[in-house]
Amino acid sequence: MDNKTKITNIRNIGIMAHIDAGKTTVTERILYYTGKSHKIGEVHDGEATMDWMEDEQNRGITITSAVTTCQWKSAQIHIIDTPGHVDFTIEVERALRVLDGAVAVFCGVGGVEPQSETVWRQADKYKVPRIAFINKMDRIGADFFNAVSMIRERLNANPVPLQIPVGSEENFTGVIDLVNMEQITWDDETLGAQFTVSKDIDPAEIDKAKEYREKMLEAISEVDDNIMERYLGEETISSEDLIKAIRCATVGRKIVPVLCGTALRNKGVQPLLDAIKDYLPSPSDVPPMTGIHPETGETISCLPQKSASLAALIFKVSMIEGRKLSFARIYSGKLIAGEDVYNSSLKKKEKLSRILQMHANKRERVKEAVAGDIVGIVGLKDSSTGETLCSASAPLLLERMEFYKPVISIAIEPKSHSDQEKLDEVLKKFTIEDPTLEVKTDEDTGQTILSGMGELHLEIIISRMLREFNTNVNVGKPQVVYREIMESPSKGHAIFEKDITGKSHFAELEMELIPIERGAGIIFKNELTGDPPVLIPEHIAAIEKGAREGLESGFLKGYPMVDTEIRLKKANTRDGQSTELAFSVCASMACKNAMTKGKVALLQPIMAVEVLVPDNYMGDAIADINTRGGKIESIAPRSNIQVIKATVPLSKMFGYSTSLRSATQGRGNFTMKFLRFGRA
């Protein structure tokens, strides 16, 4: 934020939508009309400013949340462009966590699509006020009013159209602004930069405009007492009063204002910018973020003021040109370039070498950033996603972000010796950037195992290795990430006795593994009795560490054991020989012994799958899900298509997109997300 911008003029917004609804194109137009880019980049030409990674340009989809800043009239707008593909859900979560408001983009033809519902629910979770923009109004089959009713029915929202379209499909020329009762028409010659605003509404549209203005007033009067009094009293309500009431209801999440246009044809973007300025909240309009004191646990309110103590959340880390760039949202206080900050999550100081205002992949250095800003920071060596920056004299912890566990793995091997040297470094960079990516080495084969959220997620990572880092790898077939569980209690016994580098190590242990409820994790209990205790606390800690490590590699197929209670039943020692190393190794051996005696089962990832197919292909789609061992949960009609909701084991879903396309002549599509682990 420059020093002239008041906090009330800042808008921290996200553009969110289903894949291919046009949100990146909307962002491109916003940058063009606010003067941030001098030519319009097109997603389908691979030239979009926000999609600056090569994979994004080649695939025409957004993968990472890019942050940019632009100015519209008196408002300074920070925009985070988020992905719509379900494999990159974590990117959407990270963005929503730090936003104050959002623009939900819907396709005028498809309306509310499956991923729109997912991102909408995520925005509900973070209580983010929204406005809706119905895009692609120039497309064949576009229906503004159908899209509005879908928002009401499927998203359980209260959409209030503030505009209605003039013309439809290829004859879409502009909109009627119901707040000011004006017709806005865009000039095709100037790429939509020029437009005319007229009080003379097209006679063919006037009746519809009056009808929908009446509906708009009615909807606002239901959530605003002042407007209701004047509406019932048939008084004239000024545009200023209406805007104030709409803003209040939007910020309070009582309504969702709806606008329309076609970003690709450069129509509707300037009124959308006005709506962002007029209706979406500034950092001072939303409830202040709260944190807790790391020592006392007391709740601390982070007031959005420059003079308050510093509270900032790192919501994303990127490795760009080999340098670590951290993105942070400042909730209170200020960051000053060159000064120290305190990372309360790590309990250590870090130095800010530079603060950057971000414009997609371009950046501008600033001396300081204050409450309400979203900035890039260079110089933080150890800090990572979800951690809090504050001052050492006033420490606090903001709520950590939750990350999903990966469900799919591939084995990768470097193609040459030089690739081997680069691979470890490259993977380290990726895991810093992406908390949903896991890397580990298979001890039996020596292969590197990469685990992620879906096939596309891992495909992109492999592609980036080659393009950005010139690292060639051989890739194995995708493998499902299983888990193992104990089905009945089992006791294990082990003796460890060995001379290592001239020193004798000895331990003897009896451990019991007991299955516990699903989702409970691994619990360790010391059940040794006796006074004085048989073992010192360091030995107990070594036993717990060894036991947990023993469960990490499972028994049946080497997958982690979950939902198990480890009980330490007996321990024998020898003076001078019972070491932490001996207890750690012995604990792991005892747990393995218990697994061999007990009954162990595999759990596999079960996915929630939603398939959208035209009516005449429904039978084929259901038959295909049944052959994959899926269970149909529900079937519901949705404007000439059928929505099939099912649960299917992930192991049976490989290649599903190809078989669905061929079964439906390319007209079916589906989304899939992890639901739970179930019996294999």
Side-chain angles (χ1 to χ4, degrees), residues 311-356:
L313 180 79
I314 300 170
F315 66 94
K316 181 178 169 62
V317 173
S318 285
M319 301 298 286
I320 297 174
E321 294 155 16
R323 303 197 64 178
K324 185 172 171 184
L325 176 65
S326 308
F327 292 90
R329 160 74 196 259
I330 306 169
Y331 289 103
S332 65
K334 61 184 175 183
L335 288 173
I336 299 169
E339 291 197 355
D340 286 348
V341 287
Y342 182 67
N343 180 325
S344 54
S345 311
L346 299 179
K347 298 187 175 170
K348 66 187 296 185
K349 282 189 176 177
E350 291 259 51
K351 194 170 193 68
L352 297 181
S353 51
R354 283 187 285 159
I355 301 172
L356 305 170

Side-chain angles (χ1 to χ4, degrees), residues 30-313:
I30 286 174
L31 298 186
Y32 180 71
Y33 296 125
T34 57
K36 270 288 171 188
S37 57
H38 300 294
K39 83 188 244 295
I40 293 182
E42 300 297 0
V43 176
H44 53 264
D45 293 340
E47 288 185 357
T49 309
M50 295 296 270
D51 285 353
W52 55 274
M53 278 165 56
E54 248 187 279
D55 272 300
E56 297 182 308
Q57 292 172 355
N58 291 344
R59 292 167 191 265
I61 62 170
T62 302
I63 298 161
T64 53
S65 308
V67 182
T68 195
T69 303
C70 57
Q71 197 81 27
W72 179 254
K73 299 180 180 171
S74 61
Q76 181 171 311
I77 304 170
H78 298 137
I79 304 169
I80 298 185
D81 182 31
T82 58
H85 196 284
V86 74
D87 279 11
F88 303 102
T89 297
I90 186 66
E91 289 283 348
V92 184
E93 287 261 347
R94 291 201 274 197
L96 287 170
R97 172 68 197 273
V98 296
L99 297 177
D100 300 320
V103 176
V105 179
F106 298 94
C107 169
V109 183
V112 177
E113 294 166 283
Q115 187 64 9
S116 327
E117 295 187 39
T118 305
V119 293
W120 193 272
R121 282 194 292 273
Q122 287 173 313
D124 280 341
K125 174 178 163 185
Y126 289 109
K127 299 183 168 58
V128 178
R130 279 145 275 178
I131 53 181
F133 182 71
I134 314 288
N135 193 25
K136 304 191 178 185
M137 289 306 301
D138 59 323
R139 288 275 184 94
I140 290 169
D143 185 337
F144 174 76
F145 301 104
N146 180 51
V148 172
S149 65
M150 283 171 90
I151 293 171
R152 177 173 291 107
E153 287 157 24
R154 272 190 225 158
L155 303 177
N156 205 14
N158 182 15
V160 178
L162 305 187
Q163 298 175 342
I164 57 169
V166 176
S168 64
E169 300 178 351
E170 72 270 22
N171 298 320
F172 173 74
T173 56
V175 300
I176 292 168
D177 171 357
L178 302 174
V179 175
N180 298 299
M181 279 307 267
E182 294 169 339
Q183 185 163 331
I184 305 171
T185 310
W186 276 270
D187 173 15
D188 288 330
E189 299 293 310
T190 62
L191 286 175
Q194 304 287 324
F195 54 93
T196 52
V197 179
S198 170
K199 289 282 185 194
D200 298 326
I201 293 170
D202 186 336
E205 305 286 345
I206 191 76
D207 288 343
K208 191 186 269 188
K210 284 177 177 168
E211 178 197 339
Y212 275 90
R213 177 174 164 91
E214 203 62 27
K215 285 182 176 176
M216 175 192 75
L217 289 171
E218 207 172 291
I220 296 163
S221 68
E222 281 173 15
V223 294
D224 188 294
D225 293 345
N226 179 27
I227 298 291
M228 177 172 265
E229 272 180 42
R230 295 163 69 180
Y231 176 65
L232 294 175
E234 297 186 3
E235 294 174 39
T236 305
I237 302 168
S238 70
S239 301
E240 289 75 21
D241 288 345
L242 256 183
I243 289 169
K244 207 181 286 179
I246 295 167
R247 176 183 181 77
C248 200
T250 307
V251 171
R253 296 187 303 119
K254 293 174 183 168
I255 65 166
V256 177
V258 186
L259 296 90
C260 63
T262 165
L264 193 62
R265 302 277 171 263
N266 316 303
K267 293 172 183 164
V269 180
Q270 296 93 334
L272 175 63
L273 280 161
D274 285 336
I276 290 168
K277 178 178 86 65
D278 290 341
Y279 307 130
L280 286 180
S282 76
S284 55
D285 292 324
V286 291
M289 176 59 82
T290 57
I292 58 162
H293 193 287
E295 306 302 328
T296 63
E298 68 172 301
T299 303
I300 300 166
S301 201
C302 307
L303 299 173
Q305 295 162 359
K306 184 178 174 178
S307 56
S309 295
L310 173 66
L313 180 79

